[in-house]
Amino acid sequence: MMADSPESVLAIAREVVGAMSPSWLQRLQGRIDERVARVPTRLNEYGFDDQGLAPDFVRQNMLPIALLYEYYFRVRTVNIERVPRGRVLLVANHAGQLPFDAMMLSSAMLLEGEPPRIARGMAEYWVSELPFVSVAAGRGGTLVGTPLNCASMLEAGECVMVFPEGVRGMNKLYEDRYKLMRFGSGFMRLALETNTPIVPVSIIGSEEQQPGLANLSGLARLFGMPALPLTPTFPLLGPLGLLPLPVKYHLYFGEPLSFEGDASEDDADIEERVDRVRAAIEEGFERGLAERSGIFS
Amino acid sequence: MLTSSDANVGKVLITGVVGPLGRLLAERLSLTMDVCGVDTRRWKGSHPDIRLHRVDLRKRQFEDLLRTERPDAVVHMGFVRHFDRGDRVRHDVNVRGTKQLLDHCVKYGVRKVVVFSSSAVYGAFPENPYGMDEDCPISASRSYPEIRDQVEVDALASAFLWQHQEIETVVLRPVNALGPEMGSMMSSYLKLPGVPTVMGFDPVVQFIGQADLLDALEIAVAQPLSGVFNVVGAGQVPIHTAIQAIGARAWPIPGPLFNAVCRQLFALKLWHYPSGAVDYLRYPVCLSGSRFEEATGFRPKVSLSEMFDSIRHPAR
């Protein structure tokens, strides 16, 4: 076989590794291939959608995340069939210092949703400034979290994940686990504007994966970082300390909520609807925490 | 192509007519209209049906020309878009030139003004959403001060649109034009023998085929139309995919190094692109063209693969 370009060398390497890998790994990759092929998308002649999503990229790079999903966090989903086809907003709690919760929720939609979906994430602005990360995010379907991006995704019938707690949730302290931080209300206005059903998702597990003892926000600002969490292992063990605990994830999908009204209503009227979504997520917490026997099982 | 019965324009004047797009537009419009062109450059083998006047937009002779030619419509694409002659000349020709041209149009009864702006005026930023419409702020000067004159021209023309509602004014902001004759920044960048890119970035870039851009310009001149419009072609792909599709090789360079080298070489006049231009290789500027399509019925016809084939590098 002739190898005349780096791409073909890489392809050969992929094949060799593929042939050598154990059969359970091949089966997992086979499952990813089958699921990605069934994702409803609108692609151009080069295999991208208008926002740069490339299902082929997802297919080729999903395996490590699927391994985390199956064997590290051992994700269990409850009532995922409640997610309707077509446009939908998944609204979930956010925790754990690093966005493994977003990764596991989107993996669940791909590996267990029917039809399989590539859930679109809404990222912070600075994610687009990170080399390599920005490309991986874009090819995987994540967009900068602006109202326009979110609205056009919903209008195109996509499944969009939002975490209205934002970084407030991501860096919450261990003592605040399973307490929802303040919710932004942007998602509710967008849901009203685009007439989109909301599925509340309660994520159990992420809140203990990386216990936050303190958030050194002053120091973080000094280094131009979004946050500087202090955990039992970080920054003590360096980058290795960012490895999350192998907690067991449980994803509880609530009943779809449909809201009627006008996106330009007063804050108070919007807040009232936001609170109903919060209450639904808290209900999931109660059930999930009662049903599990410990954070690792 | 539009028939002459659609057109209420009998005579059109094109500034910057000797540029590649200007020539093609002049030839296209000369089939249905009386066309004259203005440029300071020579037009080798010029077209018999097109009168070329070699005058400077900023000079008295240009006003005389409008007085004698009395065009119904003016297409303004006489801009300096390279950086070789320095900031001052560029700014003066583009901004003062446009201001004077617009004033003359009022004075000499021009009924239609088409100003050829660019999608670059929005600026390339990490927070850019996809499908930006014409109401998004034109902020390119924030990170790319070298083209602030281009942003000012767009703002001047948009203000003129509201100040002089008796004149139909169209401001076009087309995305990157691709075609064998196109000399747009993106087009000449892609034609480089090795194409430098920013390592770890692969923004989605929008393209429009040469023929579609000419159609859009013709529509803007001939149809009753006023307003600011994005003009979007048949599609968009990540920049590395485009480079691969035209048979070129990308050279990824770490971002900070790329910017530093760009700054130095540009200062030494060894390189045509200022460092602010590098952000267009990092972040997307992806527009919605629906306002123009709904107002005019314009539909792009040249597919991405046809565009890429038209500027394909010779096989290595």
Side-chain angles (χ1 to χ4, degrees):
Chain A
M1 211 178 323
M2 289 286 286
D4 54 359
S5 76
E7 290 80 32
S8 55
V9 173
L10 218 69
I12 293 168
R14 218 186 280 277
E15 255 174 57
V16 171
V17 173
M20 284 179 355
S21 65
S23 61
W24 60 271
L25 213 53
Q26 287 180 32
R27 268 202 307 280
L28 187 54
Q29 182 61 52
R31 182 163 151 228
I32 293 168
D33 293 351
E34 181 267 329
R35 304 290 298 181
V36 172
R38 289 204 290 126
V39 172
T41 47
R42 297 143 291 120
L43 305 178
N44 65 21
E45 52 195 313
Y46 294 93
F48 297 91
D49 82 352
D50 282 351
Q51 290 78 21
L53 163 76
D56 223 37
F57 177 93
V58 175
R59 194 175 58 72
Q60 290 171 8
N61 295 280
M62 181 70 193
L63 191 60
I65 298 172
L67 286 173
L68 280 182
Y69 184 90
E70 291 287 339
Y71 300 104
Y72 196 81
F73 293 121
R74 296 148 288 137
V75 181
R76 162 178 165 253
T77 61
V78 180
N79 293 331
I80 193 168
E81 72 287 349
R82 283 175 169 170
V83 178
R85 285 165 186 267
R87 72 177 62 168
V88 60
L89 262 177
L90 305 180
V91 179
N93 55 308
H94 209 16
Q97 317 305 345
L98 287 174
F100 288 103
D101 46 3
M103 229 183 258
M104 292 305 112
L105 178 53
S106 63
S107 303
M109 290 311 299
L110 183 63
L111 296 173
E112 298 183 37
E114 201 50 56
R117 310 282 292 261
I118 293 178
R120 316 301 297 258
M122 294 284 134
E124 299 282 338
Y125 293 175
W126 48 262
V127 172
S128 335
E129 295 177 358
L130 305 174
F132 303 104
V133 175
S134 63
V135 180
R139 297 299 162 268
T142 296
L143 304 180
V144 173
T146 69
L148 180 58
N149 272 342
C150 189
S152 51
M153 284 295 99
L154 293 174
E155 268 151 23
E158 297 277 355
C159 168
V160 177
M161 304 183 280
V162 291
F163 299 91
E165 291 175 277
V167 285
R168 291 182 295 274
M170 187 118 103
N171 304 114
K172 73 177 78 158
L173 303 183
Y174 188 66
E175 61 188 38
D176 292 327
R177 64 194 181 277
Y178 303 108
K179 278 184 204 151
L180 292 175
M181 300 286 117
R182 185 172 61 75
F183 265 35
S185 63
F187 78 91
M188 182 55 74
R189 292 185 193 277
L190 280 160
L192 293 173
E193 201 181 291
T194 56
N195 196 18
T196 302
I198 290 176
V199 173
V201 184
S202 316
I203 302 179
I204 311 284
S206 61
E207 308 252 348
E208 287 108 351
Q209 76 190 15
Q210 185 69 272
L213 305 175
N215 184 8
L216 312 175
S217 46
L219 214 54
R221 259 198 300 281
L222 196 68
F223 294 125
M225 292 158 64
L228 184 55
L230 195 65
T231 75
T233 52
F234 183 84
L236 197 65
L237 302 181
L240 207 65
L242 285 172
L243 199 73
L245 296 172
V247 293
K248 185 172 169 70
Y249 263 61
H250 308 259
L251 308 182
Y252 286 82
F253 292 79
E255 290 281 1
L257 305 168
S258 287
F259 294 92
E260 273 165 33
D262 188 347
S264 58
E265 280 177 50
D266 286 343
D267 283 346
D269 298 320
I270 298 286
E271 283 307 330
E272 185 261 332
R273 297 185 180 93
V274 170
D275 284 343
R276 281 170 55 198
V277 179
R278 284 179 67 110
I281 295 175
E282 280 162 350
E283 237 172 76
F285 284 164
E286 259 174 56
R287 181 178 162 198
L289 293 175
E291 279 181 12
R292 71 173 183 178
S293 48
I295 67 170
F296 299 108
S297 58
Chain B
M1 183 95 68
L2 300 157
T3 58
S4 56
S5 59
D6 290 329
N8 59 352
V9 174
K11 188 192 263 191
V12 60
L13 181 144
I14 303 172
T15 67
V17 73
V18 178
L21 189 62
R23 292 189 213 193
L24 292 168
L25 181 66
E27 281 163 17
R28 168 80 74 92
L29 294 182
S30 72
L31 299 174
T32 52
M33 298 168 196
D34 183 13
V35 180
C36 56
V38 178
D39 211 306
T40 52
R41 296 167 288 186
R42 196 184 296 279
W43 183 344
K44 277 189 209 140
S46 64
H47 199 277
D49 294 341
I50 299 159
R51 291 182 304 286
L52 174 67
H53 303 280
R54 293 189 59 195
V55 299
D56 188 321
L57 284 184
R58 298 166 294 173
K59 298 283 164 61
R60 175 85 208 173
Q61 293 98 301
F62 179 63
E63 187 177 353
D64 296 341
L65 187 64
L66 273 175
R67 185 168 42 237
T68 52
E69 286 279 6
R70 293 274 172 173
D72 301 306
V74 170
V75 179
H76 184 32
M77 48 172 69
F79 303 110
V80 180
R81 289 219 167 147
H82 55 77
F83 303 91
D84 305 344
R85 284 167 69 199
D87 228 20
R88 258 180 77 177
V89 176
R90 195 183 136 107
H91 194 275
D92 195 53
V93 172
N94 293 349
V95 179
R96 195 161 62 92
T98 300
K99 172 68 180 141
Q100 290 187 351
L101 174 134
L102 293 174
D103 290 345
H104 299 332
C105 287
V106 177
K107 203 163 160 189
Y108 298 108
V110 173
R111 291 185 285 122
K112 173 71 150 269
V113 179
V114 177
V115 178
F116 189 74
S117 184
S118 159
S119 59
V121 295
Y122 292 105
F125 300 110
E127 67 270 25
N128 277 354
Y130 289 91
M132 297 196 286
D133 68 14
E134 292 81 352
D135 300 330
C136 283
I138 49 175
S139 324
S141 347
R142 192 173 105 202
S143 62
Y144 190 5
E146 292 85 356
I147 64 160
R148 64 186 175 277
D149 55 302
Q150 217 170 305
V151 178
E152 282 173 45
V153 166
D154 187 294
L156 263 180
S158 306
F160 182 82
L161 164 73
W162 298 111
Q163 284 157 2
H164 292 280
Q165 301 198 0
E166 75 281 10
I167 299 177
E168 280 184 21
T169 305
V170 179
V171 180
L172 294 182
R173 296 174 182 161
V175 300
N176 306 289
L178 286 192
E181 279 108 330
M182 291 297 95
S184 72
M185 195 113 153
M186 182 58 75
S187 188
S188 43
Y189 162 77
L190 288 175
K191 289 171 187 166
L192 291 171
V195 188
T197 58
V198 185
M199 191 181 279
F201 290 91
D202 196 12
V204 176
V205 180
Q206 285 180 306
F207 299 103
I208 183 169
Q210 179 173 312
D212 283 335
L213 185 53
L214 283 172
D215 280 350
L217 276 161
E218 185 178 19
I219 286 171
V221 175
Q223 281 191 21
L225 184 71
S226 254
V228 182
F229 299 101
N230 298 332
V231 183
V232 175
Q236 52 227 47
V237 285
I239 187 93
H240 283 93
T241 303
I243 292 169
Q244 210 176 11
I246 62 169
R249 175 152 292 178
W251 291 354
I253 301 170
L257 180 68
F258 196 164
N259 279 98
V261 171
C262 217
R263 202 172 297 119
Q264 293 306 322
L265 293 183
F266 181 74
L268 295 169
K269 296 193 191 296
L270 294 172
W271 174 248
H272 296 292
Y273 310 98
S275 125
V278 178
D279 277 353
Y280 291 79
L281 305 176
R282 277 197 184 88
Y283 310 122
V285 184
C286 285
L287 313 181
S288 159
S290 56
R291 193 185 288 181
F292 188 65
E293 291 178 9
E294 278 158 28
T296 65
F298 167 79
R299 293 287 178 278
K301 295 182 196 75
V302 189
S303 72
L304 282 171
S305 52
E306 287 167 330
M307 287 183 232
F308 296 143
D309 283 344
S310 77
I311 59 163
R312 239 192 127 65
H313 285 214
R316 274 170 286 119

